[in-house]
Amino acid sequence: MLLEKLRLLERSLHGDRRNDREWLERLLHPEFREITRSGVIVDRSETITSLLSEKIASSIISSHFRLTEMAVGCVMLQYRTSYADGSRPALRSSCWLCSEEGQWSLFFHQGTPAAFGA
């Protein structure tokens, strides 16, 4: 099922693979952009550099995944995250594109602090 496949790909960015340059270069679309939790727009290169420079990644818990097909080969994945201790809750949206070869790549991502109780 597509939701499960993309949920696994998305969660791969929450663990040890955050520090795997080869994996990140394969997963992030060449035109990847992100609006960070703090409201800064970054590109693929900046994202990869930032992830590779993390000394210790906090354990990220993700839940409440929802998948919406926007067009053939283009979907939006929305979900919630927080650190394992419940801090830093965020609402997240990711736009995934499927290549002609059937490979999914992350084209756009945004994380927004979640309002209390949201």
Side-chain angles (χ1 to χ4, degrees):
M1 177 156 137
L2 183 56
L3 174 58
E4 183 61 21
K5 178 178 185 135
L6 294 178
R7 180 171 38 198
L8 288 172
L9 288 174
E10 193 79 43
R11 283 182 169 166
S12 76
L13 294 167
H14 301 164
D16 293 340
R17 295 200 98 172
R18 292 170 75 88
N19 300 114
D20 181 341
R21 177 181 293 279
E22 190 175 311
W23 174 249
L24 295 171
E25 289 176 350
R26 199 169 40 243
L27 192 63
L28 300 181
H29 189 278
E31 298 299 318
F32 174 81
R33 296 286 183 273
E34 176 178 7
I35 300 174
T36 67
R37 193 177 189 282
S38 57
V40 176
I41 298 173
V42 294
D43 64 17
R44 181 178 187 256
S45 176
E46 292 168 310
T47 298
I48 291 172
T49 298
S50 175
L51 291 175
L52 293 176
S53 70
E54 287 182 349
K55 301 294 184 230
I56 299 173
S58 298
S59 182
I60 298 172
I61 306 299
S62 53
S63 63
H64 297 87
F65 285 85
R66 179 175 168 235
L67 184 68
T68 303
E69 184 174 9
M70 297 173 15
V72 174
C74 178
V75 298
M76 178 71 68
L77 186 64
Q78 296 171 299
Y79 62 103
R80 299 180 55 88
T81 61
S82 68
Y83 286 163
D85 66 2
S87 66
R88 294 183 54 91
L91 302 176
R92 302 197 175 264
S93 297
S94 295
C95 180
W96 289 85
L97 298 178
C98 188
S99 70
E100 291 181 9
E101 296 80 27
Q103 298 298 314
W104 287 93
S105 61
L106 184 54
F107 183 78
F108 175 80
H109 181 79
Q110 181 169 355
T112 304
F116 183 74

